[in-house]
Amino acid sequence: MHEDFERCVRAVQAKDDRFDGWFFTAVLTTRIYCRASCPVVPPKPENMTFFPSAAAAQEAGFRACKRCRPDASPGSPQWNERADLVARAMRLIADGVVDTDGVSGLATRLGYSVRQVERHVRAELGAGPLSLARAQRAQTARLLIETTSLPMIDVALAAGFGSVRTFNDTVREVFALSPTELRARVRTAPAVAPGTLNLRLPYRKPLFPDNLFGHLVATGVPGVEEWRDGAYRRTLRLPHGPAVVALKPEDGHIGCRLTLSDLRDLSTAISRCRRLLDLDADPVAIDDLLAADPLLAPLVAAAPGRRVPRTVDGDEFAVRAVLGQQVSTAAARTHAARLVLAHGRPIDDPDGGLTHVFPDPAALAEIDPESLAMPQSRKRTLLGLVAELTGGDLDLGAGSDWQRARERLHALPGFGPWTVESIAMRSLGDPDAFLPTDLGVKVAAKEYGLTPAALVAHGERWRPWRAYAVQHLWATGDHPINRLPAA
């Protein structure tokens, strides 16, 4: 979009926050870059230029606006709508892969050479993977500077900088303030326990939280997830240790309280929470297309901004999808809770009732099949999935190839269309995943006089947002997944 100069100018002049994250406005006279909705008086069009990423603006010598904080805007919805190389790379960069494994590790995950990844990413985003990761580190550093009292050397290491000097230079270059000056601008934050951070997660309006949180709570695994004090809480398995997050719908943002065992995991935790709640979606574009269908129009009008509840861990959800085959939601939760108690990593949660981190595939590979209280066919399905995950042949992570993952899943015993598309919707994050065989969807289709075959044909007009259409169809039934839990 950044190449459509007139459209970008109109968005900036209207201070339209729907375009925050789609592009960044750089002002040639002040050498400052902003988000589209910056509250200051818009510059003259001849003084504007536009970039596809904050990293590209920084690389061109512009610094972040102190008023609108463009570095903290919602991410571009493109990276969760697409499955091409650049979109997969962006999801992995957000997940911290460059910080932990370097650009070579990123390229290996994607199955391309470093040169190919560099060329494609720079062509679309105006900056290479290292610059994009650097911009993310700068944002992480700013969060730690402003929300904690950590010594600056600890902030630098936690944000992923190799040295305090690099940290100081980067912060000063990006924000035109030293780390000490940034901290001095912030009022004293409320005292919290070590490793605990209170953050705001921005999103594009509108957002309908009922089905989003209702689904997560209704299907939550005891010990791993809970609803407490008006917030959805769960444990996270992160690269440097476990964590606990509490996510609460607030006016204009999602309140996020993170308790990390290692602050180096901050940016990864934020990325996974945003992915879980589908916060980088473009609800206006989605609703406009779905509302053009007379069948869905009343549902969209009644609940604009529905999101697709996703997951913080693709492997975890795939296991839970198998446990939920042909059983009730309550039975699936029970099976998962038993698995967690037997094989999950225990944690201490002084603020609530969370007890474990969901077991990873390596832990599940040690399962004695006879200890599983389920039919033999489902045991084979579960163990086949675990073997595929531990062998590295199946990637359900942020940078996965959606089509290849579907093909690998279909090849496994016991994986039918419902299970594969559920995983595609929640683990892979494919916005066009479709569940025509789901019971709730079939009941809704019947109410509209559609046979299963007619539903599939009718659903073609919902592409590429069929996963969002499913959320609206589910809403026609009376089920806890459609309601925001009581505080």
Side-chain angles (χ1 to χ4, degrees), residues 141-417:
R142 183 171 193 164
L143 282 172
L144 292 171
I145 290 167
E146 296 180 342
T147 61
T148 75
S149 58
L150 285 174
M152 292 303 177
I153 186 172
D154 292 339
V155 171
L157 296 176
F161 289 95
S163 70
V164 175
R165 180 177 179 178
T166 303
F167 160 70
N168 285 328
D169 291 345
T170 299
V171 170
R172 189 176 289 107
E173 180 182 339
V174 173
F175 304 114
L177 293 168
S178 70
T180 303
E181 289 169 334
L182 264 181
R183 179 164 283 174
R185 287 165 53 91
V186 181
R187 294 178 181 177
T188 304
V192 293
T196 298
L197 302 167
N198 290 313
L199 312 170
R200 292 186 173 196
L201 303 183
Y203 56 77
R204 292 178 183 83
K205 297 178 182 178
L207 180 141
F208 186 76
D210 295 37
N211 75 299
L212 188 58
F213 287 90
H215 195 115
L216 294 172
V217 174
T219 60
V221 178
V224 174
E225 300 164 283
E226 70 171 1
W227 180 260
R228 182 182 291 266
D229 299 329
Y232 166 75
R233 304 178 73 246
R234 70 154 294 148
T235 57
L236 304 172
R237 185 174 63 248
L238 298 171
H240 298 98
V244 172
V245 65
L247 299 164
K248 187 174 185 177
E250 303 278 8
D251 185 18
H253 67 275
I254 299 295
C256 174
R257 184 181 177 91
L258 270 169
T259 302
L260 302 167
S261 55
D262 192 317
L263 288 171
R264 288 177 295 174
D265 287 326
L266 175 58
S267 62
T268 301
I270 291 173
S271 172
R272 294 187 184 181
C273 290
R274 295 191 64 81
R275 184 171 169 81
L276 170 71
L277 300 181
D278 196 18
L279 297 184
D280 291 323
D282 184 356
V284 174
I286 296 166
D287 288 354
D288 282 351
L289 184 141
L290 298 182
D293 178 7
L295 185 150
L296 289 184
L299 299 175
V300 175
R306 281 191 186 274
R307 300 300 207 273
V308 177
R310 296 206 166 110
T311 183
V312 295
D313 187 316
D315 295 351
E316 173 191 316
F317 180 80
V319 170
R320 290 169 60 173
V322 170
L323 296 178
Q325 289 178 335
Q326 299 178 339
V327 298
S328 67
T329 299
R333 295 178 70 212
T334 299
H335 285 310
R338 289 172 181 164
L339 209 63
V340 166
L341 285 173
H343 302 280
R345 176 177 175 176
I347 65 157
D348 179 34
D349 175 24
D351 296 328
L354 304 180
T355 60
H356 290 77
V357 175
F358 198 90
D360 63 13
L364 295 176
E366 305 298 322
I367 289 178
D368 176 4
E370 298 306 313
S371 66
L372 299 172
M374 60 181 67
Q376 289 296 327
S377 60
R378 197 166 311 132
K379 290 181 184 179
R380 287 193 295 271
T381 300
L382 177 61
L383 296 177
L385 170 66
V386 170
E388 192 83 355
L389 292 171
T390 54
D393 296 319
L394 176 61
D395 179 10
L396 301 177
S400 57
D401 181 323
W402 295 346
Q403 186 56 37
R404 185 176 186 278
R406 275 187 170 92
E407 292 169 357
R408 301 293 301 190
L409 289 169
H410 275 297
L412 294 174
F415 276 79

Side-chain angles (χ1 to χ4, degrees), residues 42-222:
K44 295 178 180 179
E46 57 265 30
N47 292 329
M48 297 183 196
T49 188
F50 302 102
F51 291 96
S53 66
Q58 292 169 18
E59 201 170 82
F62 294 88
R63 59 180 175 82
C65 174
K66 297 173 185 176
R67 290 286 301 278
C68 70
R69 300 183 58 164
D71 51 300
S73 60
S76 171
Q78 297 180 76
W79 315 134
N80 291 333
E81 294 169 6
R82 294 161 37 184
D84 56 36
L85 171 60
V86 174
R88 292 168 58 204
M90 288 300 292
R91 291 196 291 271
L92 286 172
I93 291 169
D95 205 45
V97 167
V98 172
D99 289 329
T100 57
D101 302 331
V103 178
S104 60
L106 173 68
T108 299
R109 295 274 197 103
L110 294 168
Y112 288 81
S113 70
V114 170
R115 184 178 179 181
Q116 287 174 309
V117 173
E118 290 268 10
R119 185 175 69 250
H120 283 279
V121 171
R122 182 172 290 278
E124 185 157 348
L125 287 148
L130 278 177
S131 293
L132 292 162
R134 174 180 177 268
Q136 182 168 288
R137 283 195 295 273
Q139 166 63 1
T140 302
R142 183 171 193 164
L143 282 172
L144 292 171
I145 290 167
E146 296 180 342
T147 61
T148 75
S149 58
L150 285 174
M152 292 303 177
I153 186 172
D154 292 339
V155 171
L157 296 176
F161 289 95
S163 70
V164 175
R165 180 177 179 178
T166 303
F167 160 70
N168 285 328
D169 291 345
T170 299
V171 170
R172 189 176 289 107
E173 180 182 339
V174 173
F175 304 114
L177 293 168
S178 70
T180 303
E181 289 169 334
L182 264 181
R183 179 164 283 174
R185 287 165 53 91
V186 181
R187 294 178 181 177
T188 304
V192 293
T196 298
L197 302 167
N198 290 313
L199 312 170
R200 292 186 173 196
L201 303 183
Y203 56 77
R204 292 178 183 83
K205 297 178 182 178
L207 180 141
F208 186 76
D210 295 37
N211 75 299
L212 188 58
F213 287 90
H215 195 115
L216 294 172
V217 174
T219 60
V221 178

